[in-house]
Amino acid sequence: CCHACLSSSPVPILFPFTPLCCPSRSSILTGRYPHNHEVRNNSLTGNCSSALWQKGPEAEAFPIYLSKQKYQTFFAGKYLNQYGKKEVGDVAHVPPGWDQWHALVGNSQYYNYTLSVNGKAEKHGDSYEKDYLTDLIVNRSLRFLDDRSPQHPFFLMLSPPAPHSPWMAAPQYQKMFSDVQAPRDGSFNKLGKDKHWLLRQPVNPMPNSSINFLDDAYRKRWQTLLSVDDMVEMLVKKLDSMKELDNTYIFYTSDNGYHTGQFSLPIDKRQLYEFDIRIPLMVRGPGIKPNQTLQAPVLNIDLAPTILDISGVNLSTVNVDGQSFLAPSLRNGTARPFFLVEYTGEGHPTTDPACPKLGPGLSQCFPDCVCEDAYNNTYACVRTLDSKNNLQYCEFADSESFVEVYNLTSDPHQLENIVKKVDPTILQAMNQRLIKLQSCVGDSCRNID
C-alpha cells in the first residue's frame, strides 16, 4: 500500500524477467535488472541477501527514498531467501529505510519460524491463533496503521508465504477445492521437443504419480491463498474505516510465475516460458477506473520507480533500469518495444541421490527423476511485445549454445521452437538487441533502439 495523492490509469500484466524468488524480489526493491544488482539466484553465493547485496544495491533500494520523503514504512513477511543468516548479519541486520521490520528468517514457512522484529529474534511455534504467518502479517499491519502519525504518508509491503511450499493452509480452509485439479490445457503434459536439454528429460506422458503430485500441490496452493484473500479484505476495510482508501494505491502481484505439468515438468519455476515469467498485476488507487485490463508489458523493475513517482521523488536522481508506469507512453505500450529476461541456473556439485542417472550439476529433482534446474539452465532472452510483434528469442550458456525462438501470436503456448524457420537476419537483429540489453544500465535499458 502506498498512501499518496496522484492520478493514474489501469495497469498492465507484469513480467518478472527472472523466474525465481530472490533475483526477482531484489529487482522489485531496486528497480534494476539482475545483471546490475548482481543477485543471480537463491543462494548466498548467488548474492541472495549477501554482504555484497547489503553494501551495494540494498543501500540504494526504494524504501530509503520513501524515508527521505517522510513516509512511515512497514515490512512484514518473506524478504529474501537467505535473509537472517548468521554469516551476513543475522537477525540484527535491518535494511535501511524501514521504520517497522517484521521479516522472516530464510525461505517461506507458515509455522515454526523466526522473525527479525526490528533487529531482534522472535521465535514462533505451531499455534494457528498465535503463529500462522499470513494472519500475523495482516494483524501487525493493522496495528501499524492504528499507530501511525496522520501527519505523514505511509507505505506497507506485505509479503505472505502463500502460495509457496510447504503449502500449509489455515485450518478452516484445509478441505476446500477438493475437486480442483491443475488445468489440462496449453502445454500441459506435452513433450518438450526442440527445447533445451533439461526440457527433453521428463518422461512423457507423465506417470500418474507425477500428475497426482502436481494436482495435490495445485489444490494446496489455492487453499493457502484463501488467507491472502482474507488479508486483502481486512486491509481494504481498515483503509476504508480510516477514510484513506480513496487516497491509497494498492498493488497486488507476485515475484514469479509457476508451472504445474507444463511440458511434463511437475512443479516449479525457473524456466523461460510464459507460465514462469508472466504474472498478473492488479492496482487500485486515485484516478484508476475499475475493471480495465491493459496488455502493455510492465516489468518488476518498474515497480520501484512507480512507487517513487507516486511519492514525489524526482526519478532522474535515482539509479534504476525500469520506468514508472504512471507514464502514458508505458501504459499504451509504445515506450518499451522489447525487454530482457535472464536467469542463472543452480545445481548441486555432486550427483543428486534422487536422480543419479542424470549426474551432477542438477537440482530441484522431483518425483520420477524430473530435475527442474541445472547449472547450465542459464539463459538470456529478448522479448518483443507490441501491437505488431509478440516474439521471444533466447540463448543458453551451455555446450550447445542452444537457441529457442517463439512466435507467441501464432503459438501462445510456445509449443514449437522456430529457430530453424526464422529469417537469419531477424535472428541476428534479436541477438544484437540481446547483447545490448545484457550490458545495459539505467537510461540505456530504457532506450535500446
Side-chain angles (χ1 to χ4, degrees):
C1 299
C2 192
H3 175 256
C5 235
L6 286 174
S7 294
S8 183
S9 293
V11 292
I13 291 170
L14 183 74
F15 284 85
F17 38 78
T18 183
L20 191 63
C21 326
C22 202
S24 180
R25 288 166 181 258
S26 302
S27 290
I28 290 171
L29 290 163
T30 62
R32 301 177 192 173
Y33 278 123
H35 67 265
N36 287 327
H37 62 57
E38 297 187 288
V39 178
R40 297 294 185 177
N41 51 45
N42 286 345
S43 66
L44 272 178
T45 55
N47 276 328
C48 180
S49 202
S50 67
L52 181 64
W53 156 261
Q54 293 174 12
K55 292 176 183 176
E58 187 179 64
E60 299 175 343
F62 77 79
I64 294 168
Y65 294 91
L66 291 180
S67 183
K68 291 178 180 178
Q69 295 291 100
K70 306 300 181 183
Y71 269 72
Q72 300 162 92
T73 57
F74 172 92
F75 180 90
K78 176 182 172 180
Y79 181 58
L80 300 173
N81 298 55
Q82 300 296 330
Y83 172 75
K85 294 297 177 72
K86 294 190 186 311
E87 55 265 52
V88 285
D90 209 340
V91 297
H93 173 69
V94 177
W98 296 106
D99 297 317
Q100 286 292 318
W101 179 252
H102 303 257
L104 178 67
V105 173
N107 205 355
S108 296
Q109 295 292 333
Y110 297 78
Y111 297 105
N112 300 306
Y113 55 85
T114 299
L115 292 180
S116 169
V117 178
N118 299 321
K120 295 183 178 180
E122 180 181 280
K123 295 188 179 297
H124 285 264
D126 56 5
S127 166
Y128 171 68
E129 291 76 13
K130 296 179 181 178
D131 303 311
Y132 191 68
L133 184 55
T134 304
D135 292 358
L136 181 146
I137 289 168
V138 69
N139 290 335
R140 294 195 178 181
S141 72
L142 300 179
R143 189 188 314 159
F144 169 81
L145 291 172
D146 282 333
D147 295 341
R148 84 198 192 288
S149 167
Q151 277 74 45
H152 297 289
F154 55 83
F155 175 85
L156 296 89
M157 189 170 187
L158 310 185
S159 182
H164 202 286
S165 62
W167 311 310
M168 299 184 74
Q172 65 270 31
Y173 297 136
Q174 290 176 0
K175 295 183 180 180
M176 301 294 288
F177 309 122
S178 60
D179 59 344
V180 167
Q181 62 182 22
R184 268 34 177 186
D185 55 354
S187 57
F188 181 86
N189 208 7
K190 293 286 174 55
L191 185 67
K193 61 180 181 179
D194 300 324
K195 289 177 167 50
H196 183 235
W197 76 271
L198 196 63
L199 272 289
R200 302 195 297 266
Q201 299 302 316
V203 175
N204 180 266
M206 287 186 288
N208 287 336
S209 55
S210 286
I211 292 176
N212 292 337
F213 177 79
L214 67 89
D215 277 339
D216 182 61
Y218 191 86
R219 282 189 292 271
K220 288 179 177 176
R221 285 164 60 82
W222 273 29
Q223 291 168 358
T224 66
L225 284 171
L226 290 173
S227 293
V228 179
D229 287 351
D230 292 340
M231 180 178 76
V232 173
E233 180 182 12
M234 293 172 69
L235 190 61
V236 169
K237 286 183 174 178
K238 181 65 173 181
L239 292 168
D240 193 31
S241 71
M242 294 163 46
K243 296 183 170 42
E244 295 285 12
L245 182 60
D246 293 338
N247 201 33
T248 302
Y249 285 94
I250 300 176
F251 296 75
Y252 184 96
T253 190
S254 187
D255 51 359
N256 49 253
Y258 203 74
H259 55 258
T260 48
Q262 284 73 28
F263 295 121
S264 300
L265 298 169
I267 60 162
D268 201 37
K269 45 225 177 184
R270 307 167 197 268
Q271 308 305 329
L272 58 88
Y273 310 103
E274 292 285 280
F275 45 74
D276 282 358
I277 68 167
R278 188 169 183 163
I279 57 177
L281 167 66
M282 290 174 277
V283 181
R284 65 162 292 164
I288 298 179
K289 296 178 182 179
N291 301 318
Q292 295 190 64
T293 301
L294 297 181
Q295 295 299 323
V298 162
L299 309 183
N300 274 7
I301 54 173
D302 298 331
L303 290 169
T306 301
I307 291 166
L308 294 180
D309 196 5
I310 290 170
S311 74
V313 171
N314 180 350
L315 294 181
S316 67
T317 66
V318 183
N319 178 16
V320 293
D321 302 329
Q323 53 194 308
S324 170
F325 51 82
L326 293 184
S329 61
L330 188 58
R331 293 199 305 271
N332 65 27
T334 60
R336 181 183 281 128
F338 31 78
F339 54 89
L340 177 66
V341 178
E342 53 187 344
Y343 177 66
T344 301
E346 294 180 84
H348 294 299
T350 57
T351 298
D352 190 321
C355 196
K357 69 180 182 181
L358 288 180
L362 293 119
S363 65
Q364 309 300 313
C365 297
F366 290 97
D368 305 303
C369 197
V370 178
C371 294
E372 307 246 3
D373 205 6
Y375 285 134
N376 67 359
N377 185 39
T378 295
Y379 54 81
C381 310
V382 58
R383 183 80 161 79
T384 301
L385 180 57
D386 56 28
S387 59
K388 296 180 181 178
N389 298 294
N390 192 352
L391 300 172
Q392 186 169 0
Y393 170 93
C394 301
E395 296 181 358
F396 282 85
D398 64 4
S399 60
E400 298 178 291
S401 298
F402 204 81
V403 176
E404 296 187 25
V405 183
Y406 299 97
N407 181 345
L408 284 92
T409 301
S410 60
D411 180 21
H413 300 295
Q414 297 165 292
L415 300 176
E416 183 185 8
N417 180 7
I418 58 172
V419 63
K420 295 180 181 178
K421 298 181 179 180
V422 177
D423 185 328
T425 59
I426 294 177
L427 295 179
Q428 184 177 10
M430 297 291 270
N431 167 265
Q432 292 303 305
R433 289 173 183 168
L434 182 58
I435 290 172
K436 290 181 179 179
L437 281 167
Q438 284 183 283
S439 60
C440 75
V441 179
D443 283 341
S444 65
C445 297
R446 300 185 290 272
N447 298 302
I448 301 268
D449 293 331

